[in-house]
Amino acid sequence: MSNSSSMPQFLLLAFADRRELQLLHFWLFLAISLAALLANGLILSAVACDHHLHTPRYFFLLNLSLTDLGCVCTTVPKAMHNSLWDTTTISYPGCAAQLFLLVFFLRAEFSLLTIMCYDRYVAICKPLHYGTLLGSRACAHMAAAAWATGFLSALLHTASTFSLPLCQGNALGQFFCEIPHVLKLSCSHSGYLREIGLLWFTISLAFGFFVFIVFSYVQIFRAVLRIPSQQGRHKAFSTCLPHLAVVSLFVSTAIFAYLKPPSISSPSLDLVVSVLYVVVPPSLNPLIYSLRNQELKDAIRKTMTGCF
């Protein structure tokens, strides 16, 4: 008997038992999702419509905004639905689709953050080669590679996870479908080890990307500190620090979510940490990138003026 017929649905973790708190979570998630949709939508519109922003840096930012929108739209609507209607269920196909999309967007996002780091490295450390190394064709190929990597990773993990026989109940200790929590329901030792091996391979690749980002920023800071003028150093730092802040937020919350000691783990803490790495970064990324970027703020202001 297949998994889909023997287990028609999963039970997600509820945010609260009291009806008042469930409604509070609904309105809170509604506000966060609307803010993320509005902010990322404005960045998409500004970059697409303002020809001054048709550069590699903003092209990758546009792709990053798409992944942020994808992350929010993958997890938040179902959580809002469950809080509003006082339910915790998600269908088997719905869970598989949610897990696929979440891995897809998160994997693509980290790849894009690595590419954006490379963009800043070339711009500051090898400015004379910027046009050659980051031409329109090269940028398109790198963005396509990021999305393809996310798709392939999501396909492999989803197929591996949902091919396992599940016999440990149907209650997931999370408010969305996530690989570790689905694996806990498995009763196939060999299949479990196969997916764990695939997870460690993915983590190793992500660690390699992280090492590349750290190495690149060491070179970037060394180059910036050699700039003679204070204004030049300030301009260089202003283009790098937002990206560094976004990477730090993404990596730190994900590491804490997956590598926190079991002794401090609890359902309430798991909920808070999951919100921090799945919902909060996509909402804060537009603010971080536009906070000290006058060029982007002007383009957003022009876009809003054109709309209203």
Side-chain angles (χ1 to χ4, degrees), residues 124-154:
I124 292 174
C125 299
K126 299 181 182 294
L128 298 179
H129 301 284
Y130 188 80
T132 305
L133 295 175
L134 285 158
S136 57
R137 186 184 295 272
C139 291
H141 287 166
M142 285 188 279
W147 288 104
T149 301
F151 178 82
L152 181 60
S153 181

Side-chain angles (χ1 to χ4, degrees), residues 39 41-54 58 61 290 293-307:
L42 284 173
I43 286 183
L44 288 172
S45 301
V47 174
C49 298
D50 195 326
H51 69 277
H52 294 104
L53 302 184
H54 292 175
Y58 292 109
L61 179 59
S290 60
N293 190 327
Q294 191 60 44
E295 189 177 29
L296 182 59
K297 285 193 287 188
D298 290 342
I300 290 174
R301 191 178 299 112
K302 189 187 301 182
T303 301
M304 294 178 67
T305 303
C307 291

Side-chain angles (χ1 to χ4, degrees), residues 226-274:
R226 288 198 296 266
I227 297 176
S229 68
Q230 184 177 355
Q231 184 178 2
R233 288 195 299 271
H234 180 268
K235 183 178 180 181
F237 275 127
S238 67
T239 64
C240 295
L241 291 180
H243 176 264
L244 189 59
V246 169
V247 171
S248 301
L249 180 65
F250 183 88
V251 172
S252 61
T253 53
I255 287 176
F256 185 73
Y258 284 100
L259 300 180
K260 64 182 182 296
S263 58
I264 66 170
S265 182
S266 67
S268 57
L269 179 61
D270 289 345
L271 278 175
V272 171
V273 172
S274 299

Side-chain angles (χ1 to χ4, degrees), residues 29-212:
F29 265 35
L30 179 64
I32 292 174
S33 59
L34 288 177
L37 290 171
L38 177 62
N40 285 289
L42 284 173
I43 286 183
L44 288 172
S45 301
V47 174
C49 298
D50 195 326
H51 69 277
H52 294 104
L53 302 184
H54 292 175
T55 63
R57 178 188 177 191
Y58 292 109
F59 170 72
F60 295 130
L61 179 59
L62 181 145
N63 281 269
L64 187 71
S65 292
L66 287 174
T67 63
D68 285 338
L69 285 174
C71 287
V72 170
C73 293
T74 298
T75 56
V76 173
K78 184 59 180 176
M80 291 170 56
H81 172 272
N82 285 356
S83 293
L84 182 62
W85 298 107
D86 191 19
T87 181
T88 59
T89 61
I90 184 171
S91 67
Y92 185 95
C95 185
Q98 190 180 67
L99 188 146
F100 174 86
L101 291 172
L102 187 62
V103 174
F104 172 53
F105 286 119
L106 288 176
R107 188 70 181 84
E109 177 157 351
F110 195 53
S111 298
L112 286 167
L113 288 172
T114 306
I115 294 170
M116 293 171 77
C117 176
Y118 175 71
D119 168 70
R120 292 299 84 206
Y121 168 77
V122 176
I124 292 174
C125 299
K126 299 181 182 294
L128 298 179
H129 301 284
Y130 188 80
T132 305
L133 295 175
L134 285 158
S136 57
R137 186 184 295 272
C139 291
H141 287 166
M142 285 188 279
W147 288 104
T149 301
F151 178 82
L152 181 60
S153 181
L155 187 64
L156 289 174
H157 282 293
T158 306
S160 176
T161 301
F162 284 91
S163 66
L164 299 175
L166 307 177
C167 59
Q168 303 292 330
N170 66 340
L172 298 175
Q174 185 58 277
F175 77 93
F176 59 91
C177 290
E178 194 177 29
I179 293 173
H181 293 277
V182 177
L183 288 181
K184 290 178 181 179
L185 306 181
S186 171
C187 52
S188 171
H189 184 67
S190 59
Y192 178 86
L193 292 178
R194 181 189 63 211
E195 175 56 25
I196 291 295
L198 190 57
L199 276 173
W200 275 109
F201 176 72
T202 302
I203 291 171
S204 299
L205 286 179
F207 181 74
F209 285 0
F210 179 70
V211 170
F212 174 81

